Amino acid sequence: MSSTGSSAVQTPKTFQPRIFSGIQPSGGITLGNYLGALKRFVEKQNEGIETVYCMVDMHAITVWQDPEKLRYATREGAAAFIAAGLDPARSILFNQSQVSAHAELGWIFNCVARLGWMNRMTQFKDKAGKNAEAASLGLYAYPALMAADILAYHATMVPVGEDQKQHLELTRDIAIKFNHDYGIDYFPIVEPVIEGAATRVMSLRDGTKKMSKSDPSDQSRINLTDDADAIAAKIRKAKTDAEPLPETLAGLKDRPEARNLINIFAALSDKTPDAVVAEYAGAQFGTFKPALADLAVAKLSPITTEMSRLMKDPAEIDRILGQGADRAEAIARPIVDQVYDITGMIRSRR
Ligand code: TYM
């Protein structure tokens, strides 16, 4: 362990509560993103904690993105945030590439994270698939950039879906190693916030697979851009089994598709899965699915309508992202500048 030797460096003892989270503009926003992330991001904003939310465009290009589609998806994701209830005056909403502190700290963290840690990342293995030799170096380094996204804000809490848990553990490991190596209590040890009934929304075609924007089958997911007819049709055709719904949640143990639909119902209606099962005990899917479709349409249609209204004015969305980036920069710049001091980089430009 070594000391930094810099008198400019201060040791923050406590960190003010701050939430950071991000969504990749690598396609449209799904019901999984909405229930596992967006809806909860808005709830956090309304709890009065400082909230910083980011369309992580630099993460998206770890796999090929057509530039026009990337721009479109970034704006559409921002529109989804606002349509879901995010207030850009209260929360900070921006796109990652406009704040260079992310990439700068990402590099430092590439030098903190160990290859052994990165080799354990299951999402890299899933995304790289069988041909890992052809995956980009960025895809491999991605979790270090994600740690930088969070720690550039000294964020203390990160709301995410279940699939990001391992990346947040890595973020904690990076913060601990940085603090240890430089002998300074500089980065907070973040808390993953994985809560609610829908931390892992599953595919509508296969209850053992996560609902994902990259699934080749559009029938596997509900997109926030789907109209009422498409939502109802996808739920009607969702894979289920032949049994009626049980009396208690325990009865759904080996019925992943049924369990998924119960979780979706619970998350959309702000009830617990137990309460939903109790309400529909003994019901057939012929009864439950139309009720779920009505609920989904009632909750999602206003968001879809508002998103398409917002998308008619892309310049306004860009303005909101730019303003958010200015506010984000004001937090992240001094934090990352101090990292340069701590790591021994000379900063003598005026
Ligand atoms: P991404 O873009 O894949 O997903 C965005 C958020 O949606 C959640 N999510 C789900 N939740 C429940 N069920 C699902 N089927 C489902 N699919 C996605 C994700 O858990 C996530 O919370 N690496 C991140 C983006 C990121 C980030 C960050 C997140 C980059 N930097 C810093 C938090 C903090 C990702 O690829 O999310």
Side-chain angles (χ1 to χ4, degrees), residues 24 32-33 142 146 149 160-161 163-164 199 201 210-211 213:
Q24 283 197 64
N33 297 133
Y142 174 122
M146 178 163 160
D149 298 336
V160 283
D163 61 336
Q164 296 301 316
T199 56
V201 177
K210 189 183 72 167
M211 182 181 285
K213 43 194 167 218

Side-chain angles (χ1 to χ4, degrees), residues 1 26 43 158 172 178 194 200 229 235 275 302 333 341:
M1 202 191 299
S26 51
E43 289 162 8
V158 184
R172 291 165 68 99
F178 182 97
I194 303 174
R200 190 171 178 82
D229 289 346
I235 291 176
R333 190 72 262 162
D341 282 341

